[in-house]
Amino acid sequence: MKWSEIYLKTLKEKPAGASIPSHILLLRAGYISNTSQGIYLYNSLFLRSIQKFEKIVREELERQSAREILMPMVQTKKLWQKTGRWNKFEGLLLKMKGRTGAELCLGPTHEEIIIEFVQSGLNSWKDMPLNLYQIQTKYRDEIRPRFGLMRAREFIMKDAYSFDTSKQTALENYKKMFQAYQNIFNRLGVQFVVAKADSGAIGGSHSEEFHILAKKGEDELLVCDNFSANVEICPRQEPSKSSAPTPKAIEEFATPNIKTIQELAQFLNGSAKDLVKILFFISQGDSQKANSKDKVFAVLCMGDDEINPLKIKQNLGLKELPLLAKDKTIKEVSGANPGSCGPYKLKQNIPIYLDNYLKNKGNFITGANKDGFHFKNVNPNRDFKVSAYGDFCFAREGDLSPTSLALKKYRGIEVGHLFYLSDEYSKKMNLTYLDKQGKKHFVEMGCYGMGITRTLQAVIEQSHDDKGIIWPLSITPFAVYICLIDPDSPEVLKALDKLKTLLDQQHLDYFIDDRKERPGVKFKDADLIGLPLRIDLGVRDLKNNQIEICIRKNSFKEKLNLKELENKLPSYISNL
Ligand code: ATP
Ligand code: MG
């Protein structure tokens, strides 16, 4: 492929609206072009990277016996109502009306349609295990599309769906997909982390995310040698046991105009970590563990910790995320405004939960449930009843993981997500099969997403420098950038023919910069576009029977003749 054959315009300046390096570089190198909010066009070079990545994905999935299909993008309201997601899919459904008034949407994910598909023929245990995937353009009407292909409205995703007769075989399918994902990201040659994750809108009980590590990644991950999780759900181990202090007598003291934990810490010349924070929540839906009559409940934690509503939901067995109580409710329950509330002498009897980090602690300083006053020496179980202790706060760097090692913080970009769905969807859509004895059961499912276009940008976010992109060999549009310094010279064209033969023999693809531009301009563009190896052909060097190579990732340069290049190419390539 030659530059003159494709439409490729590079930009010198940072494009407006792009803030992270990978988005800026994709636009500057002309790989993508923005057509409307969150919607992009991919140029000929970028399409090659997409196709190379898709090839790796297909090879690794097929190796695990997943088989490719292609489902429609346009789906009906009727179908989406079967799972109750027509109104629930986080507002991301792009809805439209057809000619006859039928309500339709663009597929943001394909559980509904694939279940309907297999339902038409899947009768018996003999049809499973089954794992079907597709690579397709998805549309999600993201509220705040941003960072280019990272959070786009239209993007390419690989999605796979597995069907099994038992939990055991469903988890075997899950494991195979996990292995496929590991192989894919290893083949890409990027640094990645697998993190335990929340199941989100997809539902299900078990889920893991693959993240490409990058400083500007949207997700925070907490990682130790043998455990890693998204901070959204990361559990933390209780601190080592200490004996509780001897409870002292309660004292009330004035704290005029103190509203926040920081203000209280300053007022007491102490630090927030020595104080105790209380938050009031309203549970939506019933709780298995909490008394369902008690809609309002309180959670106490260390003053410098942050309460995580998702963990409250998980650890109290709530159906929905609890909501923070409004000031009016807080006043009704406690008798005071936020800032002066505490667990002792509440006006109403509500369940009080304590974060594990408060275990074996006492003599708390807490609000007195009277505006402008606090108590000293409030003690759990002496002064108020503890409904339960639990893991209710965000884990932080340095906290212990469930495997007792200190967690370290990283930032990542979620590129893949695996879910074990159990029978959640098959129940909703009545997907059943008959076992060997002719007995009916719900099918066990898994679903597995991977952002194709997001992954490509995430790779760039991890692999670039001031000058441009540094593609790994696995998904570079071309391995070699041939720079014709004197594109009209017969000597150069003759050398080009020989070089092409050599590269063809070594199965290396190449992109030829045949523009009539100054060498400086071409070198800058070559760095920006970021192919791993550049080979320059110029009259001056060719007179000395030499060509120059430049390795993008470390700027290593060498002049050598064609024979020497032939010998050295394999070692250059293996180090790219
Ligand atoms: P996120 O948490 O980033 O919103 P998600 O959990 O909603 O993503 P999934 O439903 O798990 O996403 O989709 C599978 C994969 O599709 C994700 O891991 C991600 O790589 C990709 N993806 C999801 N939303 C987008 C988007 N708006 N733009 C680009 N890729 C996306
Ligand atoms: Mg996800």
Side-chain angles (χ1 to χ4, degrees):
M1 192 184 281
K2 291 180 187 159
W3 191 304
S4 61
E5 294 165 348
I6 61 171
Y7 182 82
L8 175 57
K9 306 284 167 198
T10 55
L11 302 172
K12 285 201 185 70
E13 305 299 329
K14 174 176 169 267
S19 56
I20 59 168
S22 54
H23 187 197
I24 295 170
L25 291 172
L26 276 171
L27 288 166
R28 279 194 54 214
Y31 281 119
I32 61 169
S33 160
N34 187 218
T35 64
S36 68
Q37 241 209 342
I39 304 183
Y40 290 86
L41 176 153
Y42 318 128
N43 83 345
S44 310
L45 291 183
F46 196 62
L47 193 57
R48 281 183 69 92
S49 282
I50 292 176
Q51 286 162 347
K52 282 191 181 180
F53 181 42
E54 288 181 351
K55 184 168 180 286
I56 295 175
V57 171
R58 286 192 170 93
E59 282 171 7
E60 293 301 333
L61 292 187
E62 297 280 337
R63 201 198 288 267
Q64 303 296 341
S65 306
R67 300 294 171 233
E68 189 166 7
I69 57 171
L70 187 57
M71 291 182 266
M73 262 190 92
V74 176
Q75 306 177 17
T76 62
K77 175 180 178 178
K78 225 168 98 198
L79 179 63
W80 276 76
Q81 279 175 327
K82 287 192 185 171
T83 51
R85 291 206 296 182
W86 177 256
N87 290 319
K88 210 187 147 197
F89 200 75
E90 295 172 347
L92 302 181
L93 274 187
L94 182 70
K95 300 177 182 174
M96 56 205 176
K97 272 204 174 126
R99 187 189 293 277
T100 58
E103 289 190 76
L104 305 164
C105 68
L106 286 183
T109 176
H110 281 62
E111 284 81 8
E112 280 78 0
I113 205 156
I114 196 154
I115 293 177
E116 194 178 63
F117 169 58
V118 298
Q119 208 164 26
S120 58
L122 185 133
N123 290 320
S124 96
W125 60 276
K126 288 182 208 147
D127 294 323
M128 290 171 277
L130 182 66
N131 191 356
L132 302 174
Y133 76 96
Q134 65 171 349
I135 297 180
Q136 193 203 36
T137 299
K138 292 271 189 280
Y139 195 95
R140 289 187 182 181
D141 212 12
E142 296 276 359
I143 300 155
R144 215 157 60 82
R146 57 194 179 277
F147 309 139
L149 308 180
M150 295 285 197
R151 188 161 301 283
R153 286 197 163 130
E154 191 178 298
F155 56 97
I156 304 176
M157 193 205 281
K158 184 285 301 165
D159 44 329
Y161 306 87
S162 64
F163 303 89
D164 280 278
T165 53
S166 69
K167 178 170 183 182
Q168 189 206 332
T169 54
L171 290 177
E172 274 164 27
N173 244 329
Y174 183 100
K175 256 199 214 144
K176 283 167 128 187
M177 289 303 274
F178 186 91
Q179 187 60 54
Y181 275 40
Q182 260 188 327
N183 294 350
I184 290 165
F185 293 109
N186 278 328
R187 278 178 69 178
L188 276 191
V190 286
Q191 284 177 288
F192 66 93
V193 159
V194 187
K196 297 225 175 314
D198 176 38
S199 304
I202 301 273
S205 62
H206 186 84
S207 106
E208 279 160 307
E209 292 168 347
F210 279 69
H211 285 264
I212 289 185
L213 296 177
K215 279 192 218 109
K216 297 250 164 100
E218 269 197 325
D219 286 64
E220 186 177 315
L221 310 172
L222 288 166
V223 178
C224 69
D225 278 352
N226 39 20
F227 180 83
S228 48
N230 196 310
V231 72
E232 286 172 0
I233 59 123
C234 185
R236 58 178 190 176
Q237 213 182 61
E238 290 167 33
S240 52
K241 296 237 177 331
S242 55
S243 50
T246 313
K248 297 187 202 160
I250 291 186
E251 289 172 38
E252 189 183 278
F253 64 104
T255 47
N257 302 321
I258 302 289
K259 292 269 180 295
T260 66
I261 199 92
Q262 282 74 23
E263 286 167 359
L264 182 62
Q266 227 171 20
F267 179 79
L268 298 170
N269 277 334
S271 98
K273 79 174 173 10
D274 303 322
L275 301 171
V276 170
K277 202 155 64 179
I278 185 165
L279 286 185
F280 294 88
F281 289 92
I282 313 273
S283 66
Q284 313 178 72
D286 289 345
S287 154
Q288 286 151 20
K289 287 185 198 153
N291 179 348
S292 60
K293 262 196 344 238
D294 299 314
K295 292 275 184 202
V296 185
F297 63 92
V299 180
L300 262 71
C301 70
M302 309 251 295
D304 62 341
D305 267 333
E306 202 189 326
I307 293 179
N308 177 347
L310 188 59
K311 280 185 159 184
I312 295 181
K313 176 183 167 225
Q314 287 176 346
N315 296 336
L316 291 185
L318 303 176
K319 281 201 181 127
E320 302 285 343
L321 275 184
L323 298 175
L324 268 178
K326 300 230 163 66
D327 289 4
K328 185 169 160 272
T329 313
I330 296 175
K331 188 138 198 202
E332 274 165 25
V333 167
S334 71
N337 285 301
S340 296
C341 306
Y344 176 52
K345 290 208 165 161
L346 280 166
K347 245 169 109 179
Q348 289 179 17
N349 190 16
I350 57 166
I352 300 172
Y353 297 96
L354 262 63
D355 183 69
N356 285 336
Y357 271 46
L358 293 180
K359 261 191 197 167
N360 303 310
K361 294 223 162 71
N363 295 328
F364 299 153
I365 295 175
T366 70
N369 298 317
K370 189 161 93 180
D371 285 347
F373 287 89
H374 277 74
F375 287 132
K376 270 183 201 161
N377 306 329
V378 173
N379 284 278
N381 294 322
R382 182 191 72 177
D383 305 322
F384 63 95
K385 184 170 159 265
V386 179
S387 291
Y389 282 91
D391 181 13
F392 300 125
C393 292
F394 282 98
R396 296 183 299 186
E397 189 165 50
D399 287 346
L400 293 186
S401 76
T403 60
S404 308
L405 294 176
L407 291 160
K408 209 166 151 9
K409 189 161 93 180
Y410 288 90
R411 297 210 74 86
I413 300 162
E414 182 203 311
V415 285
H417 204 156
L418 302 114
F419 298 90
Y420 162 56
L421 295 173
S422 184
D423 56 8
E424 166 146 353
Y425 280 82
S426 39
K427 267 188 181 153
K428 279 184 191 155
M429 291 188 64
N430 198 27
L431 177 66
T432 57
Y433 73 95
L434 299 176
D435 68 14
K436 284 181 191 168
Q437 284 74 39
K439 218 173 129 210
K440 217 185 222 185
H441 299 276
F442 288 109
V443 172
E444 284 275 318
M445 284 185 65
C447 77
Y448 317 92
M450 184 181 288
I452 300 290
T453 38
R454 185 188 279 184
T455 299
L456 290 174
Q457 185 172 333
V459 168
I460 295 171
E461 195 57 42
Q462 190 177 91
S463 182
H464 68 268
D465 63 14
D466 298 344
K467 292 181 278 184
I469 294 165
I470 304 172
W471 282 110
L473 192 59
S474 54
I475 49 167
T476 180
F478 292 94
V480 182
Y481 190 101
I482 304 179
C483 186
L484 305 184
I485 310 275
D486 309 287
D488 294 329
S489 140
E491 290 101 304
V492 167
L493 294 179
K494 215 165 112 194
L496 175 63
D497 276 343
K498 286 191 191 151
L499 179 62
K500 278 160 66 177
T501 310
L502 168 63
L503 295 175
D504 286 340
Q505 276 165 0
Q506 304 213 11
H507 306 291
L508 293 168
D509 50 2
Y510 42 85
F511 179 63
I512 304 166
D513 186 351
D514 58 345
R515 290 175 300 163
K516 292 179 181 44
E517 286 285 358
R518 282 180 295 113
V521 171
K522 293 185 169 187
F523 295 159
K524 275 215 167 93
D525 278 341
D527 283 343
L528 178 62
I529 287 169
L531 308 189
L533 182 67
R534 193 183 84 211
I535 303 181
D536 303 332
L537 298 178
V539 173
R540 204 164 8 149
D541 278 342
L542 285 172
K543 281 212 170 96
N544 300 322
N545 199 22
Q546 280 189 323
I547 52 186
E548 187 165 35
I549 64 110
C550 177
I551 292 177
R552 173 66 184 90
K553 108 177 150 185
N554 55 13
S555 303
F556 171 82
K557 281 191 182 144
E558 193 170 22
K559 287 191 180 178
L560 64 192
N561 66 36
L562 200 66
K563 190 73 207 151
E564 287 165 335
L565 178 65
E566 183 177 356
N567 293 335
K568 283 193 168 178
L569 250 183
S571 81
Y572 288 144
I573 295 297
S574 65
N575 288 314
L576 287 179

